[in-house]
Amino acid sequence: MWAVTTVSSLGDWLGVFALTLFVQRLSGRPEFAVGGVLLFRVLPGLFFGPFAGVLADRFDRRRLMVSADLCRAALIASIPWIHNLWALFAVSAVMEVLSLLWAPAKDATLPNLVGRDQLMTANQLSLITTYGTFPISGALVAGLAAPAALLGRIDAFSVLREQPVSLAFFVDAATFLFSAAMVATFPIRLTKTPRAPVPFNAVQGLRDLAEGLHFVRGHPVVRGLVVGAWTAFTGGGAVISLGPIFARRVSGGGPATAQAAWGGLIVAVGFGLVAGMVTAGLVARRLPRERIFPAGLMLSGAAVVGTASMTSMPPATAFTILVGLGAGLAWVTIYTLLQERTDERLRGRTFATLYTGIQLSLFLSLAGWPLIAGAIGDHSARAGSWRIDLSGVRIALWGGGILLVAAGIVTGRGAQVRLRGRAARLRGLQLRPSLGGGARRGLFVVFEGVEGAGKSTQVKMLHDALSACGRDVVVTREPGGVPISERVRGVLLDPAAREMDPKTEALLYAASRAQHVAELIRPALERGAVVICDRYIDSSLAYQGHARALGEDDVLRLNVWATDELLPDIALLLHLDPAAGLARTKGDPDRIEQEDLAFHKKVGEAFLSLARSYPSRFAVLDASQPPEMVHAQAMAAILPFDRG
Ligand code: TYD
């Protein structure tokens, strides 16, 4: 997929460059021609964009991508024979429509190709090549002139004699054919969920469209990301549209100096952009993604304000590196978060909504910012002996920067509410003793840990000790505990069920748990018993949330719902090196035990990180000690929670 992205982006940029050159030669008014090409690339997006997402979600993505590529190849290869400007604009528009079909299908596919923990890296690679091929293709257009002249001598390629740039179109067509061939032969399914056989027509299309928009609007995180990106592009658009004017004013030289200054700014932004994309993965290891995205936007906005405040090119250019850096960080994170937060079924439409809004933002800001700058006009202020230049361009650029910072603050606040909300909710859950309806008088103790950590031994020892004190003690286990849940357990642990999807697995664990809580655990707690359970929700968070990479949040939400918010008073984590634990297990390995050591290591790490995140709910015990010692520590750990 990376090869496909690289080659197609190269072809895409090549096509844009070549087409602008081609129409410039064709028409007497070069600015009009270039503007026309760009306009006709942006316009279709506004109308067709949302529907492209509907198609990407509804039809087989492989077929969609291959057809789009084949059509694009045919169209671009035919350009050298088109000599009418309006026909070229039309071709440009159709190319864009096809690209719009292709892109959401690709973005929606990525999460099906790589694991969740690799998504960030995949996006880094994909975006770096998407933007990194821009300068390469610029050089390529120039570099193709010589071979075009050579080939032009051959009669069959006479078209190259009149229009040397045609070779660029043929190369571009070849990149699309390459992409089509690769996608057609991908060895895996690109669309995960089988489509319901609903007959597809206009009504259904509109319904799908409404569903997609409703999803983006109703999901606070997705909405924040999408609106944040739109706002950011509106602010960033100021740099693109005002940059050349700003460079001319600040460089103070003639047209050649101004052009060089503007070129320098573009290179600096591009450099920062790629640097930001490269470092995003490193940053993501230290900071939650929800923080990187707003921070990137704010950095970028502050740097735009900084750039605009400079009075000579070198410091201004230095600031633009930061503009790019922040934007690169934010862009990779937005992509990854959007892919993670959207269901496979809705992903094409979500990305199409993102793109359409971005096109609209760019469209408005390209036209709007110069108008604003013109309306403000040039002013200057005096502070002592200093004369401060308050040109309309500078003020408008400040406005763009401030808009970017604002986008960062607003989306950052949304993300923080979410992070804080999650933590507070969990803390609240364990502090309220009468949770989930009905008075809870008993004590709910859970043992957690990797395979072979010695949970059963400890469960038994704790049971014996508490029963000896005359307490009503119920010992149970997960998955299982009651007949229905034991039957689900059979399905879950059956080594033959190899093709089980991670989501199915998470749902079955939650289903077994729901029955277990309703039938056994909650009634026992209500009558005041001590319930000791071998594994509970935290196993799902560690195994399914982390090791299966479904995401802690989603798995937690599922289980909070399944159990009507019944969380343990205390989780005793028996900590042990997973390799040592696996060596201790006896008998035929079940389906989960059969996973490789890397999987079990992830589980062990996840347990530890859960214990760190929720210290009041966890006690970590060193399970490599003799069982009696562990037992003594377990008794000490539950004491503060025991109300009986
Ligand atoms: P079990 O034999 O009870 O494990 P152990 O012998 O380690 O106690 O089998 C339960 C298996 O299911 C175990 O490998 C962990 C896994 N599991 C999950 O993946 N998610 C869950 O929510 C639970 C409760 C268990």
Short mmCIF file of all heavy atoms in Angstrom, two decimals, residues 457-521:
data_model
loop_
_atom_site.label_atom_id
_atom_site.label_comp_id
_atom_site.label_asym_id
_atom_site.label_seq_id
_atom_site.Cartn_x
_atom_site.Cartn_y
_atom_site.Cartn_z
N THR A 457 -4.38 -20.82 43.00
CA THR A 457 -3.86 -21.10 44.34
C THR A 457 -4.27 -19.98 45.31
O THR A 457 -4.76 -20.24 46.41
CB THR A 457 -2.32 -21.17 44.30
OG1 THR A 457 -1.94 -21.98 43.19
CG2 THR A 457 -1.77 -21.73 45.58
N GLN A 458 -4.09 -18.75 44.87
CA GLN A 458 -4.39 -17.61 45.74
C GLN A 458 -5.89 -17.50 46.00
O GLN A 458 -6.30 -17.16 47.11
CB GLN A 458 -3.86 -16.32 45.12
CG GLN A 458 -2.34 -16.21 45.11
CD GLN A 458 -1.74 -16.34 46.51
OE1 GLN A 458 -2.31 -15.87 47.50
NE2 GLN A 458 -0.59 -17.01 46.59
N VAL A 459 -6.69 -17.76 44.98
CA VAL A 459 -8.14 -17.72 45.16
C VAL A 459 -8.53 -18.69 46.27
O VAL A 459 -9.29 -18.36 47.18
CB VAL A 459 -8.86 -18.09 43.85
CG1 VAL A 459 -10.33 -18.36 44.09
CG2 VAL A 459 -8.69 -16.98 42.81
N LYS A 460 -7.97 -19.89 46.19
CA LYS A 460 -8.32 -20.93 47.16
C LYS A 460 -7.85 -20.53 48.57
O LYS A 460 -8.60 -20.66 49.55
CB LYS A 460 -7.67 -22.25 46.74
CG LYS A 460 -8.09 -23.40 47.61
CD LYS A 460 -7.71 -24.73 47.03
CE LYS A 460 -8.20 -25.87 47.93
NZ LYS A 460 -7.99 -25.66 49.35
N MET A 461 -6.63 -20.01 48.68
CA MET A 461 -6.11 -19.64 50.00
C MET A 461 -6.94 -18.53 50.63
O MET A 461 -7.23 -18.54 51.83
CB MET A 461 -4.64 -19.20 49.88
CG MET A 461 -3.68 -20.37 49.62
SD MET A 461 -2.01 -19.82 49.26
CE MET A 461 -1.25 -19.96 50.86
N LEU A 462 -7.34 -17.55 49.78
CA LEU A 462 -8.13 -16.44 50.31
C LEU A 462 -9.50 -16.95 50.75
O LEU A 462 -10.03 -16.56 51.81
CB LEU A 462 -8.29 -15.35 49.24
CG LEU A 462 -8.88 -14.03 49.71
CD1 LEU A 462 -8.04 -13.42 50.81
CD2 LEU A 462 -9.03 -13.04 48.55
N HIS A 463 -10.07 -17.84 49.95
CA HIS A 463 -11.37 -18.43 50.30
C HIS A 463 -11.29 -19.13 51.66
O HIS A 463 -12.12 -18.91 52.54
CB HIS A 463 -11.80 -19.43 49.22
CG HIS A 463 -12.93 -20.31 49.65
ND1 HIS A 463 -12.73 -21.61 50.09
CD2 HIS A 463 -14.26 -20.09 49.73
CE1 HIS A 463 -13.88 -22.14 50.43
NE2 HIS A 463 -14.83 -21.24 50.20
N ASP A 464 -10.26 -19.96 51.82
CA ASP A 464 -10.13 -20.72 53.06
C ASP A 464 -9.98 -19.78 54.25
O ASP A 464 -10.62 -19.97 55.29
CB ASP A 464 -8.93 -21.67 52.97
CG ASP A 464 -9.17 -22.77 51.93
OD1 ASP A 464 -10.33 -22.87 51.46
OD2 ASP A 464 -8.21 -23.49 51.57
N ALA A 465 -9.16 -18.76 54.07
CA ALA A 465 -8.90 -17.85 55.18
C ALA A 465 -10.16 -17.11 55.59
O ALA A 465 -10.48 -17.00 56.78
CB ALA A 465 -7.80 -16.85 54.80
N LEU A 466 -10.94 -16.62 54.59
CA LEU A 466 -12.12 -15.82 54.92
C LEU A 466 -13.24 -16.71 55.45
O LEU A 466 -13.98 -16.32 56.35
CB LEU A 466 -12.58 -15.03 53.69
CG LEU A 466 -11.62 -13.92 53.25
CD1 LEU A 466 -12.11 -13.26 51.97
CD2 LEU A 466 -11.44 -12.87 54.33
N SER A 467 -13.38 -17.93 54.89
CA SER A 467 -14.41 -18.83 55.40
C SER A 467 -14.11 -19.21 56.84
O SER A 467 -15.03 -19.35 57.66
CB SER A 467 -14.48 -20.13 54.59
OG SER A 467 -14.46 -19.85 53.24
N ALA A 468 -12.83 -19.35 57.15
CA ALA A 468 -12.45 -19.71 58.52
C ALA A 468 -12.89 -18.62 59.49
O ALA A 468 -13.11 -18.89 60.67
CB ALA A 468 -10.94 -19.92 58.61
N CYS A 469 -13.03 -17.39 59.00
CA CYS A 469 -13.52 -16.30 59.86
C CYS A 469 -15.05 -16.28 59.90
O CYS A 469 -15.65 -15.34 60.41
CB CYS A 469 -13.06 -14.95 59.36
SG CYS A 469 -11.32 -14.79 59.09
N GLY A 470 -15.68 -17.26 59.27
CA GLY A 470 -17.14 -17.33 59.30
C GLY A 470 -17.81 -16.44 58.26
O GLY A 470 -18.99 -16.13 58.37
N ARG A 471 -17.09 -16.03 57.23
CA ARG A 471 -17.72 -15.17 56.22
C ARG A 471 -18.38 -16.02 55.14
O ARG A 471 -17.98 -17.15 54.88
CB ARG A 471 -16.66 -14.28 55.56
CG ARG A 471 -15.89 -13.40 56.51
CD ARG A 471 -16.78 -12.31 57.05
NE ARG A 471 -17.19 -11.39 56.00
CZ ARG A 471 -16.48 -10.32 55.65
NH1 ARG A 471 -15.35 -10.08 56.27
NH2 ARG A 471 -16.91 -9.52 54.71
N ASP A 472 -19.40 -15.41 54.54
CA ASP A 472 -20.07 -16.02 53.39
C ASP A 472 -19.18 -15.71 52.18
O ASP A 472 -19.10 -14.56 51.75
CB ASP A 472 -21.45 -15.38 53.26
CG ASP A 472 -22.19 -15.81 51.99
OD1 ASP A 472 -21.67 -16.67 51.25
OD2 ASP A 472 -23.30 -15.27 51.76
N VAL A 473 -18.48 -16.73 51.65
CA VAL A 473 -17.54 -16.48 50.55
C VAL A 473 -17.98 -17.21 49.29
O VAL A 473 -18.30 -18.40 49.34
CB VAL A 473 -16.11 -16.95 50.92
CG1 VAL A 473 -15.14 -16.55 49.82
CG2 VAL A 473 -15.66 -16.37 52.24
N VAL A 474 -18.04 -16.51 48.19
CA VAL A 474 -18.38 -17.12 46.90
C VAL A 474 -17.13 -17.07 46.03
O VAL A 474 -16.58 -15.99 45.81
CB VAL A 474 -19.52 -16.36 46.21
CG1 VAL A 474 -19.79 -16.94 44.83
CG2 VAL A 474 -20.75 -16.38 47.07
N VAL A 475 -16.70 -18.23 45.55
CA VAL A 475 -15.55 -18.26 44.65
C VAL A 475 -16.05 -18.52 43.23
O VAL A 475 -16.90 -19.39 43.02
CB VAL A 475 -14.55 -19.35 45.06
CG1 VAL A 475 -13.57 -19.63 43.93
CG2 VAL A 475 -13.79 -18.91 46.31
N THR A 476 -15.57 -17.75 42.30
CA THR A 476 -16.02 -17.97 40.92
C THR A 476 -14.90 -17.56 39.96
O THR A 476 -13.85 -17.11 40.39
CB THR A 476 -17.34 -17.22 40.65
OG1 THR A 476 -17.77 -17.50 39.34
CG2 THR A 476 -17.14 -15.72 40.79
N ARG A 477 -15.16 -17.75 38.66
CA ARG A 477 -14.09 -17.46 37.71
C ARG A 477 -14.67 -16.91 36.41
O ARG A 477 -15.85 -17.04 36.12
CB ARG A 477 -13.32 -18.73 37.39
CG ARG A 477 -14.16 -19.72 36.57
CD ARG A 477 -13.32 -20.74 35.90
NE ARG A 477 -14.13 -21.70 35.17
CZ ARG A 477 -13.64 -22.79 34.62
NH1 ARG A 477 -12.35 -23.08 34.76
NH2 ARG A 477 -14.40 -23.61 33.94
N GLU A 478 -13.78 -16.30 35.63
CA GLU A 478 -14.18 -15.78 34.32
C GLU A 478 -13.20 -16.29 33.27
O GLU A 478 -12.00 -16.41 33.56
CB GLU A 478 -14.14 -14.26 34.34
CG GLU A 478 -15.22 -13.65 35.17
CD GLU A 478 -15.96 -12.54 34.42
OE1 GLU A 478 -15.29 -11.78 33.71
OE2 GLU A 478 -17.17 -12.49 34.52
N PRO A 479 -13.60 -16.49 32.05
CA PRO A 479 -15.01 -16.53 31.66
C PRO A 479 -15.67 -17.77 32.24
O PRO A 479 -15.04 -18.81 32.31
CB PRO A 479 -14.93 -16.60 30.13
CG PRO A 479 -13.58 -17.18 29.83
CD PRO A 479 -12.69 -16.77 30.94
N GLY A 480 -16.91 -17.64 32.66
CA GLY A 480 -17.62 -18.79 33.22
C GLY A 480 -18.33 -18.41 34.50
O GLY A 480 -18.82 -17.30 34.65
N GLY A 481 -18.40 -19.35 35.42
CA GLY A 481 -19.01 -19.08 36.72
C GLY A 481 -20.45 -19.54 36.83
O GLY A 481 -20.87 -20.00 37.88
N VAL A 482 -21.23 -19.38 35.76
CA VAL A 482 -22.61 -19.87 35.73
C VAL A 482 -22.77 -20.63 34.41
O VAL A 482 -21.99 -20.41 33.48
CB VAL A 482 -23.63 -18.71 35.84
CG1 VAL A 482 -23.59 -18.08 37.21
CG2 VAL A 482 -23.36 -17.65 34.77
N PRO A 483 -23.79 -21.53 34.34
CA PRO A 483 -23.84 -22.42 33.18
C PRO A 483 -23.78 -21.73 31.82
O PRO A 483 -23.01 -22.13 30.94
CB PRO A 483 -25.17 -23.16 33.37
CG PRO A 483 -25.38 -23.14 34.85
CD PRO A 483 -24.79 -21.87 35.36
N ILE A 484 -24.57 -20.66 31.65
CA ILE A 484 -24.56 -20.01 30.32
C ILE A 484 -23.16 -19.49 30.01
O ILE A 484 -22.62 -19.66 28.91
CB ILE A 484 -25.58 -18.85 30.28
CG1 ILE A 484 -27.00 -19.43 30.38
CG2 ILE A 484 -25.43 -18.03 28.99
CD1 ILE A 484 -28.08 -18.39 30.45
N SER A 485 -22.54 -18.86 31.02
CA SER A 485 -21.21 -18.28 30.80
C SER A 485 -20.16 -19.36 30.58
O SER A 485 -19.21 -19.15 29.83
CB SER A 485 -20.81 -17.42 31.99
OG SER A 485 -21.82 -16.49 32.27
N GLU A 486 -20.36 -20.51 31.20
CA GLU A 486 -19.41 -21.60 30.98
C GLU A 486 -19.49 -22.09 29.54
O GLU A 486 -18.51 -22.50 28.95
CB GLU A 486 -19.66 -22.76 31.94
CG GLU A 486 -19.24 -22.50 33.40
CD GLU A 486 -17.71 -22.43 33.62
OE1 GLU A 486 -16.96 -22.99 32.79
OE2 GLU A 486 -17.28 -21.78 34.59
N ARG A 487 -20.73 -22.03 28.98
CA ARG A 487 -20.86 -22.45 27.58
C ARG A 487 -20.15 -21.46 26.68
O ARG A 487 -19.51 -21.83 25.69
CB ARG A 487 -22.33 -22.59 27.21
CG ARG A 487 -22.86 -23.95 27.67
CD ARG A 487 -24.34 -23.98 27.77
NE ARG A 487 -25.00 -23.89 26.47
CZ ARG A 487 -26.32 -23.80 26.34
NH1 ARG A 487 -27.09 -23.77 27.43
NH2 ARG A 487 -26.86 -23.74 25.16
N VAL A 488 -20.25 -20.17 27.01
CA VAL A 488 -19.53 -19.17 26.21
C VAL A 488 -18.03 -19.40 26.36
O VAL A 488 -17.26 -19.28 25.41
CB VAL A 488 -19.91 -17.75 26.67
CG1 VAL A 488 -19.13 -16.70 25.87
CG2 VAL A 488 -21.40 -17.52 26.51
N ARG A 489 -17.61 -19.77 27.57
CA ARG A 489 -16.20 -20.05 27.81
C ARG A 489 -15.68 -21.13 26.86
O ARG A 489 -14.59 -21.05 26.32
CB ARG A 489 -16.00 -20.50 29.26
CG ARG A 489 -14.57 -20.90 29.58
CD ARG A 489 -14.48 -21.54 30.97
NE ARG A 489 -13.13 -22.02 31.23
CZ ARG A 489 -12.19 -21.27 31.81
NH1 ARG A 489 -12.47 -20.06 32.21
NH2 ARG A 489 -10.99 -21.76 31.98
N GLY A 490 -16.55 -22.16 26.67
CA GLY A 490 -16.18 -23.25 25.78
C GLY A 490 -15.84 -22.72 24.39
O GLY A 490 -14.85 -23.10 23.77
N VAL A 491 -16.69 -21.81 23.90
CA VAL A 491 -16.46 -21.23 22.57
C VAL A 491 -15.16 -20.42 22.57
O VAL A 491 -14.35 -20.51 21.66
CB VAL A 491 -17.64 -20.31 22.18
CG1 VAL A 491 -17.38 -19.67 20.83
CG2 VAL A 491 -18.93 -21.09 22.17
N LEU A 492 -14.99 -19.64 23.63
CA LEU A 492 -13.84 -18.72 23.67
C LEU A 492 -12.50 -19.43 23.70
O LEU A 492 -11.54 -18.99 23.08
CB LEU A 492 -13.95 -17.83 24.91
CG LEU A 492 -14.78 -16.56 24.73
CD1 LEU A 492 -15.12 -15.94 26.06
CD2 LEU A 492 -14.03 -15.57 23.86
N LEU A 493 -12.44 -20.51 24.45
CA LEU A 493 -11.13 -21.12 24.67
C LEU A 493 -10.87 -22.30 23.72
O LEU A 493 -9.78 -22.85 23.72
CB LEU A 493 -10.98 -21.58 26.12
CG LEU A 493 -11.10 -20.43 27.14
CD1 LEU A 493 -10.83 -20.92 28.55
CD2 LEU A 493 -10.15 -19.29 26.81
N ASP A 494 -11.87 -22.62 22.91
CA ASP A 494 -11.72 -23.74 21.99
C ASP A 494 -10.56 -23.48 21.02
O ASP A 494 -10.60 -22.54 20.22
CB ASP A 494 -13.04 -23.88 21.21
CG ASP A 494 -12.98 -25.05 20.24
OD1 ASP A 494 -11.90 -25.70 20.17
OD2 ASP A 494 -14.00 -25.32 19.59
N PRO A 495 -9.52 -24.30 21.06
CA PRO A 495 -8.36 -24.06 20.17
C PRO A 495 -8.75 -24.14 18.70
O PRO A 495 -8.05 -23.61 17.84
CB PRO A 495 -7.39 -25.19 20.52
CG PRO A 495 -7.84 -25.70 21.84
CD PRO A 495 -9.31 -25.48 21.92
N ALA A 496 -9.90 -24.78 18.40
CA ALA A 496 -10.30 -24.89 17.00
C ALA A 496 -10.86 -23.57 16.46
O ALA A 496 -10.93 -23.38 15.26
CB ALA A 496 -11.34 -25.99 16.84
N ALA A 497 -11.26 -22.66 17.37
CA ALA A 497 -11.91 -21.40 16.92
C ALA A 497 -10.86 -20.38 16.51
O ALA A 497 -10.86 -19.25 16.96
CB ALA A 497 -12.81 -20.84 18.03
N ARG A 498 -9.98 -20.79 15.65
CA ARG A 498 -8.82 -19.97 15.34
C ARG A 498 -9.19 -18.68 14.60
O ARG A 498 -8.53 -17.68 14.72
CB ARG A 498 -7.85 -20.79 14.48
CG ARG A 498 -6.42 -20.73 15.00
CD ARG A 498 -5.52 -21.70 14.30
NE ARG A 498 -5.61 -23.04 14.87
CZ ARG A 498 -6.04 -24.12 14.22
NH1 ARG A 498 -6.43 -24.01 12.98
NH2 ARG A 498 -6.08 -25.29 14.82
N GLU A 499 -10.29 -18.75 13.81
CA GLU A 499 -10.57 -17.56 13.02
C GLU A 499 -11.36 -16.50 13.77
O GLU A 499 -11.80 -15.53 13.20
CB GLU A 499 -11.23 -17.90 11.68
CG GLU A 499 -12.45 -18.80 11.67
CD GLU A 499 -12.10 -20.26 11.95
OE1 GLU A 499 -11.97 -20.58 13.15
OE2 GLU A 499 -11.98 -21.07 11.02
N MET A 500 -11.49 -16.64 15.11
CA MET A 500 -12.31 -15.68 15.84
C MET A 500 -11.77 -14.26 15.71
O MET A 500 -10.61 -13.99 15.95
CB MET A 500 -12.39 -16.07 17.32
CG MET A 500 -13.40 -15.21 18.07
SD MET A 500 -13.54 -15.63 19.81
CE MET A 500 -14.17 -17.28 19.76
N ASP A 501 -12.68 -13.34 15.35
CA ASP A 501 -12.30 -11.94 15.19
C ASP A 501 -12.14 -11.31 16.59
O ASP A 501 -12.89 -11.65 17.51
CB ASP A 501 -13.42 -11.23 14.43
CG ASP A 501 -13.07 -9.81 14.12
OD1 ASP A 501 -12.40 -9.60 13.10
OD2 ASP A 501 -13.44 -8.91 14.90
N PRO A 502 -11.18 -10.40 16.77
CA PRO A 502 -10.98 -9.80 18.09
C PRO A 502 -12.24 -9.17 18.67
O PRO A 502 -12.49 -9.25 19.88
CB PRO A 502 -9.93 -8.72 17.83
CG PRO A 502 -9.15 -9.22 16.68
CD PRO A 502 -10.11 -9.99 15.83
N LYS A 503 -13.05 -8.59 17.79
CA LYS A 503 -14.28 -7.97 18.32
C LYS A 503 -15.24 -9.03 18.84
O LYS A 503 -15.89 -8.84 19.85
CB LYS A 503 -14.95 -7.13 17.24
CG LYS A 503 -14.30 -5.80 17.05
CD LYS A 503 -15.13 -4.93 16.15
CE LYS A 503 -14.49 -3.55 16.07
NZ LYS A 503 -14.89 -2.82 14.88
N THR A 504 -15.33 -10.13 18.11
CA THR A 504 -16.19 -11.22 18.56
C THR A 504 -15.71 -11.68 19.94
O THR A 504 -16.51 -11.90 20.86
CB THR A 504 -16.09 -12.41 17.59
OG1 THR A 504 -16.20 -11.92 16.27
CG2 THR A 504 -17.13 -13.45 17.87
N GLU A 505 -14.40 -11.81 20.05
CA GLU A 505 -13.81 -12.27 21.31
C GLU A 505 -14.19 -11.32 22.45
O GLU A 505 -14.68 -11.76 23.50
CB GLU A 505 -12.29 -12.32 21.12
CG GLU A 505 -11.55 -12.96 22.25
CD GLU A 505 -10.05 -12.98 21.96
OE1 GLU A 505 -9.62 -13.76 21.09
OE2 GLU A 505 -9.31 -12.22 22.61
N ALA A 506 -14.00 -10.02 22.23
CA ALA A 506 -14.30 -9.05 23.28
C ALA A 506 -15.77 -9.11 23.67
O ALA A 506 -16.13 -9.07 24.85
CB ALA A 506 -13.94 -7.65 22.82
N LEU A 507 -16.63 -9.25 22.65
CA LEU A 507 -18.07 -9.29 22.93
C LEU A 507 -18.45 -10.56 23.69
O LEU A 507 -19.30 -10.54 24.58
CB LEU A 507 -18.86 -9.21 21.62
CG LEU A 507 -18.87 -7.83 20.98
CD1 LEU A 507 -19.31 -7.89 19.54
CD2 LEU A 507 -19.77 -6.89 21.77
N LEU A 508 -17.81 -11.67 23.34
CA LEU A 508 -18.15 -12.91 24.04
C LEU A 508 -17.70 -12.86 25.50
O LEU A 508 -18.42 -13.30 26.40
CB LEU A 508 -17.52 -14.10 23.32
CG LEU A 508 -18.21 -14.51 22.01
CD1 LEU A 508 -17.49 -15.66 21.34
CD2 LEU A 508 -19.66 -14.89 22.27
N TYR A 509 -16.49 -12.31 25.74
CA TYR A 509 -16.07 -12.16 27.13
C TYR A 509 -17.05 -11.28 27.89
O TYR A 509 -17.43 -11.56 29.01
CB TYR A 509 -14.65 -11.58 27.22
CG TYR A 509 -13.55 -12.61 27.06
CD1 TYR A 509 -12.71 -12.59 25.96
CD2 TYR A 509 -13.37 -13.61 28.02
CE1 TYR A 509 -11.70 -13.54 25.81
CE2 TYR A 509 -12.36 -14.56 27.87
CZ TYR A 509 -11.53 -14.51 26.76
OH TYR A 509 -10.54 -15.45 26.61
N ALA A 510 -17.48 -10.20 27.23
CA ALA A 510 -18.42 -9.29 27.89
C ALA A 510 -19.77 -9.96 28.08
O ALA A 510 -20.43 -9.77 29.11
CB ALA A 510 -18.56 -8.01 27.07
N ALA A 511 -20.18 -10.77 27.10
CA ALA A 511 -21.47 -11.46 27.21
C ALA A 511 -21.45 -12.45 28.37
O ALA A 511 -22.38 -12.51 29.19
CB ALA A 511 -21.76 -12.20 25.91
N SER A 512 -20.36 -13.19 28.45
CA SER A 512 -20.25 -14.15 29.54
C SER A 512 -20.27 -13.41 30.87
O SER A 512 -20.89 -13.84 31.85
CB SER A 512 -18.95 -14.95 29.35
OG SER A 512 -18.24 -15.05 30.54
N ARG A 513 -19.63 -12.25 30.89
CA ARG A 513 -19.54 -11.45 32.13
C ARG A 513 -20.90 -10.90 32.52
O ARG A 513 -21.27 -10.90 33.71
CB ARG A 513 -18.54 -10.32 31.89
CG ARG A 513 -18.21 -9.48 33.09
CD ARG A 513 -16.94 -8.69 32.85
NE ARG A 513 -15.79 -9.57 32.69
CZ ARG A 513 -14.88 -9.44 31.73
NH1 ARG A 513 -14.96 -8.46 30.85
NH2 ARG A 513 -13.88 -10.28 31.67
N ALA A 514 -21.67 -10.45 31.53
CA ALA A 514 -22.98 -9.88 31.82
C ALA A 514 -23.85 -10.91 32.54
O ALA A 514 -24.50 -10.62 33.56
CB ALA A 514 -23.64 -9.42 30.52
N GLN A 515 -23.86 -12.11 32.00
CA GLN A 515 -24.66 -13.18 32.61
C GLN A 515 -24.15 -13.52 34.01
O GLN A 515 -24.91 -13.69 34.95
CB GLN A 515 -24.61 -14.41 31.70
CG GLN A 515 -25.49 -15.55 32.15
CD GLN A 515 -26.96 -15.15 32.11
OE1 GLN A 515 -27.37 -14.34 31.28
NE2 GLN A 515 -27.74 -15.70 33.03
N HIS A 516 -22.86 -13.58 34.13
CA HIS A 516 -22.20 -13.92 35.39
C HIS A 516 -22.55 -12.91 36.48
O HIS A 516 -22.90 -13.27 37.62
CB HIS A 516 -20.68 -13.92 35.12
CG HIS A 516 -19.84 -14.49 36.21
ND1 HIS A 516 -18.50 -14.22 36.33
CD2 HIS A 516 -20.14 -15.31 37.25
CE1 HIS A 516 -18.01 -14.84 37.38
NE2 HIS A 516 -18.99 -15.53 37.95
N VAL A 517 -22.51 -11.63 36.12
CA VAL A 517 -22.82 -10.56 37.08
C VAL A 517 -24.29 -10.64 37.48
O VAL A 517 -24.64 -10.59 38.66
CB VAL A 517 -22.48 -9.18 36.49
CG1 VAL A 517 -23.10 -8.07 37.30
CG2 VAL A 517 -20.97 -9.00 36.41
N ALA A 518 -25.14 -10.77 36.46
CA ALA A 518 -26.58 -10.72 36.74
C ALA A 518 -27.02 -11.92 37.57
O ALA A 518 -27.83 -11.80 38.49
CB ALA A 518 -27.34 -10.67 35.42
N GLU A 519 -26.47 -13.07 37.25
CA GLU A 519 -26.98 -14.30 37.86
C GLU A 519 -26.31 -14.61 39.19
O GLU A 519 -26.94 -15.13 40.11
CB GLU A 519 -26.76 -15.45 36.86
CG GLU A 519 -27.59 -16.66 37.15
CD GLU A 519 -27.35 -17.76 36.11
OE1 GLU A 519 -27.11 -17.42 34.94
OE2 GLU A 519 -27.38 -18.94 36.49
N LEU A 520 -25.01 -14.30 39.30
CA LEU A 520 -24.29 -14.76 40.48
C LEU A 520 -23.67 -13.62 41.30
O LEU A 520 -23.94 -13.49 42.50
CB LEU A 520 -23.19 -15.73 40.04
CG LEU A 520 -22.37 -16.31 41.18
CD1 LEU A 520 -23.04 -17.55 41.74
CD2 LEU A 520 -20.96 -16.67 40.72
N ILE A 521 -22.84 -12.77 40.66
CA ILE A 521 -22.03 -11.84 41.44
C ILE A 521 -22.89 -10.79 42.14
O ILE A 521 -22.78 -10.57 43.35
CB ILE A 521 -20.97 -11.15 40.55
CG1 ILE A 521 -20.05 -12.21 39.93
CG2 ILE A 521 -20.15 -10.17 41.36
CD1 ILE A 521 -18.97 -11.66 39.02
#
